[in-house]
Amino acid sequence: VRRFLTFADEWKDYMCKLEDYVNIIEEQGLENMVVEGKPGGRIYRNLCDELLYDRHFRRFSRVRIFLSATLQPANLIQRWGLKESTTSVIRLHSGWDPERSPIVLKRTANFKYSNINAAMEDAVRDIDKILKDHPNERGVIHTTSYDILNYIKEHCKEAGRLVPYQGTSEKVKLIKGLSELPKNAVIIGPSLTQGVDLHNDLARFSIIVKLSYPNIGAALWRKRFQRKRFIYWAEAANVLEQAAGRATRHIADQSVTYVLDDRADKFIKQPSTRKYFSDEFLSRIAVGKV
């Protein structure tokens, strides 16, 4: 009976989603449907977030409150088709001192595609310097891929301090045992930007090697890049802000974050992308300015 009920619930969800997609095609045509081939089948995605928001959220309430430390109001208002006349943005300051968690834009390396090899050489040189400046402290290095992780491991003079992982299971095991690592250990990997709590002595510094843009090899992100590029920029901003928040976790905590990608300065300051960062993130950059 239990197996049957589980199957029935899954089948109901499948049919409801199928009905949604049929309605989307009828109302807006095929241009808002994104089909991505996967082993064993296909994944159907909807490019129009506003339509899904109307159908599954807006009509069920007169007042809606959305809460997040990285809410990105400018992104959601445009993405969900919210009316600015009936939408209020309330910003609450945490009270945390930005002096305790400065973000330093190092402008170390130009990570444009044609310069990636030279950029990695420049990045490794600066990583060595930063690690020497924090000889007896734990830290974290955010990479955007295992290729970057492996390059740093192979070329960094301080490689003996690095604690890498391969895959989700190794990462989970590593995070659970953080307090048992040596006092100068530095965890390194491509998926440490969210869900990682490096409070107090678990990390006193962070290194963000390069900006993390969504993968346009994926059908959904390729379509968003072509037709709704603001979502693409907002996601890159969100990942950067999340990465910079891993090592300062409460009001009395402290750490310093280094961003090596020299594209970050322009990305953060230009009006079209600056609006996707919180005021507190921007205040931390002002403190860490070099």
Side-chain angles (χ1 to χ4, degrees), residues 175-246:
I175 291 173
K176 286 182 178 179
L178 286 178
S179 60
E180 300 174 6
L181 293 176
K183 295 299 182 181
N184 68 344
V186 180
I187 60 175
I188 178 172
S191 56
L192 297 167
T193 57
Q194 297 185 40
V196 180
D197 182 8
L198 303 176
H199 58 279
N200 300 333
D201 290 337
L202 293 182
R204 291 301 183 189
F205 66 95
S206 302
I207 301 174
I208 300 172
V209 178
K210 69 184 290 287
L211 296 180
S212 180
Y213 293 104
N215 176 21
I216 59 174
L220 180 62
W221 280 111
R222 182 166 61 252
K223 199 72 172 285
R224 282 173 171 166
F225 184 79
Q226 293 167 350
R227 298 189 54 197
K228 298 190 176 186
R229 196 166 298 187
F230 71 95
I231 300 177
Y232 179 87
W233 300 131
E235 178 64 15
N238 179 63
V239 174
L240 177 57
E241 182 160 352
Q242 290 283 357
R246 294 307 94 204

Side-chain angles (χ1 to χ4, degrees), residues 79-264:
R79 187 169 177 174
W80 292 348
L82 304 180
K83 295 180 179 179
E84 295 198 24
S85 60
T86 58
T87 302
S88 297
V89 178
I90 302 172
R91 304 181 188 277
L92 301 178
H93 196 281
S94 68
W96 294 13
D97 184 358
E99 296 277 355
R100 301 184 69 84
S101 56
I103 299 172
V104 181
L105 304 182
K106 296 282 287 180
R107 304 180 184 89
T108 298
N110 181 357
F111 273 99
K112 67 180 182 181
Y113 183 76
S114 60
N115 192 56
I116 195 71
N117 291 333
M120 285 307 307
E121 292 178 6
D122 293 336
V124 167
R125 279 196 294 270
D126 239 15
I127 289 171
D128 277 329
K129 293 176 184 177
I130 293 168
L131 294 180
K132 287 180 180 179
D133 289 340
H134 298 268
N136 300 308
E137 295 176 327
R138 296 191 183 104
V140 56
I141 300 177
H142 298 283
T143 67
T144 57
S145 69
Y146 286 108
D147 286 341
I148 291 178
L149 183 160
N150 292 332
Y151 185 95
I152 294 172
K153 255 177 44 180
E154 293 171 6
H155 296 85
C156 179
K157 295 178 182 177
E158 300 283 326
R161 295 176 57 183
L162 304 183
V163 183
Y165 61 87
Q166 294 287 332
T168 303
S169 58
E170 280 191 24
K171 183 182 78 169
V172 171
K173 184 178 179 180
L174 173 62
I175 291 173
K176 286 182 178 179
L178 286 178
S179 60
E180 300 174 6
L181 293 176
K183 295 299 182 181
N184 68 344
V186 180
I187 60 175
I188 178 172
S191 56
L192 297 167
T193 57
Q194 297 185 40
V196 180
D197 182 8
L198 303 176
H199 58 279
N200 300 333
D201 290 337
L202 293 182
R204 291 301 183 189
F205 66 95
S206 302
I207 301 174
I208 300 172
V209 178
K210 69 184 290 287
L211 296 180
S212 180
Y213 293 104
N215 176 21
I216 59 174
L220 180 62
W221 280 111
R222 182 166 61 252
K223 199 72 172 285
R224 282 173 171 166
F225 184 79
Q226 293 167 350
R227 298 189 54 197
K228 298 190 176 186
R229 196 166 298 187
F230 71 95
I231 300 177
Y232 179 87
W233 300 131
E235 178 64 15
N238 179 63
V239 174
L240 177 57
E241 182 160 352
Q242 290 283 357
R246 294 307 94 204
T248 300
R249 307 299 295 167
H250 55 81
I251 196 168
D253 205 357
Q254 63 181 39
S255 69
V256 57
T257 297
Y258 304 94
V259 183
L260 306 188
D261 193 333
D262 72 357
R263 300 172 300 173

Side-chain angles (χ1 to χ4, degrees), residues 25-41:
I25 293 171
E26 288 179 347
E27 294 175 17
Q28 299 194 358
L30 288 171
E31 61 269 17
N32 276 311
M33 291 303 300
V34 180
V35 182
E36 190 164 11
K38 293 289 184 181

